[in-house]
Amino acid sequence: MQSYTIGQAARLLGVSPDTARRWADAGRVATHRDESGRRVIDGRDLAAFSIEVGQGGGGEDEPSYTSARNAFPGIVTAVKLGDVAAQVEIQAGPHRLVSLLTREAVEELGLEVGMRATARVKSTNVHIDRV
């Protein structure tokens, strides 16, 4: 499972590293030390927490979040596979994006909850890039 440093988590959540550190210190999101001694957050824990923050549970004013060229870097929070189609949800700061794509595309990208990914929006289409 992928883990994220406090700084990486802050970028994915659209907040400052100090805010992410305060949330971790307060026990709002679980952390542990990696082999280098850095404090990290498991991807699944960060995915769950990002949903809470995206729904206004951040406990402070929501930061503004902008994207260059309609790219929303975030974390995969849900993957629902059907026989042919799939649905992938990404939390990018306060934004929740949902993409409908083929099951084959999800499997080729190896998408799973807790991974970093970028949602690219064009008109009403949402494309997913694995980071």
Side-chain angles (χ1 to χ4, degrees), residues 3-107:
S3 294
Y4 300 92
T5 64
I6 296 291
Q8 290 170 326
R11 281 189 297 280
L12 292 170
L13 294 170
V15 298
S16 72
D18 287 336
T19 296
R21 212 172 282 112
R22 280 193 302 276
W23 287 341
D25 291 344
R28 295 202 45 211
V29 62
T31 63
H32 66 277
R33 299 280 175 180
D34 67 6
E35 58 278 350
S36 301
R38 296 178 302 177
R39 200 160 51 155
V40 296
I41 303 168
D42 284 332
R44 287 190 182 275
D45 292 339
L46 183 58
F49 183 67
S50 72
I51 293 170
E52 175 189 334
V53 171
Q55 293 173 340
E60 55 190 57
D61 290 337
E62 290 293 324
S64 63
Y65 189 88
T66 59
S67 66
R69 298 185 184 196
N70 300 323
F72 294 83
I75 187 167
V76 176
T77 58
V79 177
K80 299 172 185 165
L81 297 175
D83 291 336
V84 176
Q87 177 179 312
V88 176
E89 296 180 20
I90 293 179
Q91 191 72 37
H95 308 290
R96 177 180 166 260
L97 297 116
V98 179
S99 179
L100 301 176
L101 57 164
T102 65
R103 179 186 181 117
E104 180 180 14
V106 171
E107 290 171 346

